[in-house]
């Protein structure tokens, strides 16, 4: 079993829909990161959180430390949100990554 | 502020050769970490440097090595290249105020795509 599990692996949505991507982990962590990767390889850090909830524009990330679970929500999805979303957990300075969720938002 | 710069962007090498990749972090960032991304294994942690010291290392053979200079720039080296080393190599920098913790957001470079033939 992987230390970081993401679901779903693939997600197709219509523009405007509310999207949720889930991440579960089985190890102790110092922080959890949500990353976005567009075709071509560039990775952008969306959130880093160790407790509670963070919001940035249409993106919301939550984490439940007791349940070892985090969710990334996208409200009013747009085709430009199409990308791979990756959950990663840090333990000290070491990162462990989930397999990623390929999101496609159709107009 | 300039972002994280990785050079070169693309590289083609032959099996058995060695390769050196470079990463210049954002000014003021003292932590630099390296990652390998392949279609089969996804993203994997290679190693992390803070103030010229390797603090953590992933599960890669000794052919993979790195170093960090006093200006925080980092290099990674892969010796005796194998076909399976073909991958996108990414580095990231962060402003880590406390030694031993990655408690600041990561800033990634655009990566070096290495092809081994």
């Amino acid at each position: 079993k992987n230390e970081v599990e993401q679901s779903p692996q693939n997600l197709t949505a219509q523009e405007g829909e509310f999207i949720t991507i889930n991440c579960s982990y089985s190890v102790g962590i110092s922080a959890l990161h949500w990353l976005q990767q567009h075709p071509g390889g560039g990775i952008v850090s969306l959130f880093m959180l160790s407790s509670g909830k963070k919001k940035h524009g249409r993106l919301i990330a939550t984490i439940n430390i007791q349940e070892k679970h985090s969710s990334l929500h996208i409200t009013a999805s747009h085709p430009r949100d199409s990308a791979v979303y990756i959950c990663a957990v840090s333990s000290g300075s070491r990162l462990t990554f989930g397999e990623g969720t390929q999101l496609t938002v159709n107009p | 502020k300039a972002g994280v710069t990785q050079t070169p962007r693309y590289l083609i090498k032959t099996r058995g050769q060695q390769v050196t990749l470079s990463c210049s972090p954002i000014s003021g960032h003292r932590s630099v970490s390296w990652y390998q991304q392949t279609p089969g294994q996804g993203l994997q942690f290679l190693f992390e440097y803070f103030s010229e010291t390797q603090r953590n290392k992933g599960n890669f053979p000794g052919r993979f090595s790195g170093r960090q200079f006093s200006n925080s720039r980092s290099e990674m080296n892969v010796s005796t290249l194998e076909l399976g080393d073909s991958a996108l190599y990414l580095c990231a920098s962060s402003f880590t105020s406390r030694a031993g913790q990655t408690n600041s957001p990561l800033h990634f470079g655009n990566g070096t795509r290495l092809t081994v033939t």
Side-chain angles (χ1 to χ4, degrees):
Chain A
K1 191 178 190 299
N2 293 335
E3 293 179 341
V4 182
E5 300 270 358
Q6 274 185 249
S7 63
Q9 284 189 313
N10 293 283
L11 183 54
T12 301
Q14 288 300 121
E15 184 173 356
E17 286 185 358
F18 181 87
I19 288 162
T20 296
I21 299 170
N22 295 299
C23 176
S24 296
Y25 54 92
S26 57
V27 294
I29 68 170
S30 52
L32 184 141
H33 305 254
W34 281 103
L35 310 171
Q36 180 192 57
Q37 186 171 32
H38 281 284
I43 293 179
V44 174
S45 176
L46 299 174
F47 295 103
M48 186 192 70
L49 62 166
S50 54
S51 65
K53 175 180 174 178
K54 287 190 176 181
K55 184 176 188 290
H56 184 253
R58 295 179 295 106
L59 302 179
I60 302 166
T62 64
I63 187 168
N64 185 318
I65 298 295
Q66 287 73 28
E67 294 187 3
K68 296 188 174 179
H69 181 269
S70 176
S71 293
L72 175 68
H73 305 286
I74 305 176
T75 62
S77 59
H78 190 277
R80 65 175 174 267
D81 296 327
S82 298
V84 176
Y85 292 83
I86 302 166
C87 169
V89 298
S90 55
S91 177
S93 59
R94 180 189 180 116
L95 259 71
T96 305
F97 297 86
E99 293 183 351
T101 296
Q102 173 69 62
L103 171 65
T104 303
V105 181
N106 294 318
Chain B
K1 217 176 198 182
V4 178
T5 303
Q6 288 189 249
T7 56
R9 288 296 309 276
Y10 302 93
L11 206 47
I12 299 175
K13 290 285 188 179
T14 305
R15 269 181 304 176
Q17 288 186 314
Q18 68 95 24
V19 66
T20 299
L21 312 181
S22 178
C23 175
S24 293
I26 290 173
S27 178
H29 286 192
R30 296 162 68 186
S31 170
V32 175
S33 48
W34 288 89
Y35 308 91
Q36 182 196 65
Q37 186 175 37
T38 61
Q41 299 295 321
L43 270 164
Q44 293 184 281
F45 172 80
L46 278 158
F47 28 65
E48 188 259 353
Y49 287 86
F50 180 83
S51 293
E52 301 179 68
T53 300
Q54 186 182 88
R55 294 196 295 187
N56 223 323
K57 190 177 191 308
N59 298 324
F60 280 82
R63 300 185 297 107
F64 291 81
S65 63
R67 59 178 175 169
Q68 187 180 32
F69 302 95
S70 58
N71 62 358
S72 293
R73 188 178 72 85
S74 178
E75 290 181 346
M76 67 162 281
N77 184 276
V78 188
S79 62
T80 320
L81 284 165
E82 300 177 0
L83 294 178
D85 297 333
S86 295
L88 178 67
Y89 290 88
L90 292 152
C91 83
S93 73
S94 66
F95 179 79
T96 299
S97 58
R98 189 169 137 206
Q101 300 292 331
T102 300
N103 56 3
S104 302
L106 295 168
H107 299 263
F108 285 83
N110 288 324
T112 294
R113 189 164 295 279
L114 172 66
T115 302
V116 182
T117 62

